[in-house]
Amino acid sequence: ATPGSHPAAAPPPSAADPRRQRLKLTTAYNRASKQCKEARAALERAQRQGADQLEAMRKRVDAMAARAEQARRQLEAFKAANPED
C-alpha cells in the first residue's frame, strides 16, 4: 500500500456494515436467549424448592422470553433483507 492509502485487507465501510449489524443482532439474540434459558432453569429450581416470590420470577422470565423473541425477529428480518453471498 502506498502512504495514505487504506490496507487492502480492510473491507470498505459499506461492505462491513451489514456484517457488523448481523453480528450485533446475532450476539443480542444469543445473549437474550441464554439469559432466558438460565432464568427459566432458576425458576424451575425455585418452584421445586417452594421458594417465595415465584410470581415475580415468572414475570421476569416472561419479560426475558419476550426480549429473546424480539431479538430473534429482528435477526430474522435482517437476514431476510440482507442474504449472505
Side-chain angles (χ1 to χ4, degrees), residues 2-14:
T2 59
S5 68
H6 296 290
S14 60

Side-chain angles (χ1 to χ4, degrees), residues 25-30 32-33 65-77:
L25 291 170
T26 300
T27 300
Y29 168 68
N30 289 340
S33 180
R67 279 195 301 271
E69 178 61 21
Q70 180 182 12
R72 185 194 64 77
R73 285 193 309 265
Q74 289 174 339
L75 177 59
E76 292 302 318

Side-chain angles (χ1 to χ4, degrees), residues 7-76:
S14 60
D17 290 345
R19 280 180 270 163
R20 188 173 297 125
Q21 185 67 15
R22 181 184 298 263
L23 179 60
K24 179 180 173 185
L25 291 170
T26 300
T27 300
Y29 168 68
N30 289 340
R31 183 182 316 118
S33 180
K34 181 179 178 182
Q35 288 173 345
C36 182
K37 288 177 186 177
E38 290 172 349
R40 280 194 177 132
L43 175 60
E44 289 173 8
R45 284 192 303 274
Q47 287 172 327
R48 285 193 300 269
Q49 296 169 357
D52 295 334
Q53 306 298 322
L54 289 177
E55 189 56 35
M57 289 180 77
R58 278 189 199 97
K59 287 180 182 178
R60 285 194 298 271
V61 168
D62 290 345
M64 287 181 178
R67 279 195 301 271
E69 178 61 21
Q70 180 182 12
R72 185 194 64 77
R73 285 193 309 265
Q74 289 174 339
L75 177 59
E76 292 302 318

